[in-house]
């Protein structure tokens, strides 16, 4: 497949900038998604040690929530473990 891409780049030289920008862009996107899946605190891949991750999270303040509510003073709803 790499041989075919190199052959197309030699035949059509206008494709070279496309390969230069799209290749690293796809690589960076894949590495970012992998980083989010492995290291983001909300994602849990370990169900044996932490099966109920959503019960241990406190209330968070996100940008799309109401600005008139102070989320730091809300109590956590749900069972305590």
């Amino acid at each position: 497949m790499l041989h075919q891409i190199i052959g197309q780049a030699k035949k059509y030289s206008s494709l070279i900038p496309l390969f230069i920008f799209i290749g690293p862009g796809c690589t960076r996107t894949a590495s970012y998604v992998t980083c989010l899946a492995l290291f983001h605190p909300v994602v849990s891949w370990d169900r044996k040690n932490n099966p109920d991750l959503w019960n241990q999270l406190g209330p968070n303040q996100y940008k799309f929530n109401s600005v008139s509510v102070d989320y730091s003073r809300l109590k956590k709803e749900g069972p305590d473990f």
Side-chain angles (χ1 to χ4, degrees), residues 43-57:
V43 178
S44 175
W45 293 94
D46 188 12
R47 291 187 180 185
K48 292 180 182 176
N49 294 330
N50 194 5
D52 298 327
L53 177 68
W54 55 88
N55 290 329
Q56 297 176 1
L57 293 176

Side-chain angles (χ1 to χ4, degrees), residues 25-72:
C26 290
T27 303
R28 186 170 181 180
T29 302
S31 64
Y32 178 69
V33 170
T34 303
C35 182
L36 284 179
L38 294 177
F39 302 114
H40 199 272
V42 178
V43 178
S44 175
W45 293 94
D46 188 12
R47 291 187 180 185
K48 292 180 182 176
N49 294 330
N50 194 5
D52 298 327
L53 177 68
W54 55 88
N55 290 329
Q56 297 176 1
L57 293 176
N60 294 328
Q61 184 175 7
Y62 294 105
K63 289 183 180 179
F64 54 84
N65 286 345
S66 176
V67 293
S68 62
V69 177
D70 185 15
Y71 290 95
S72 64

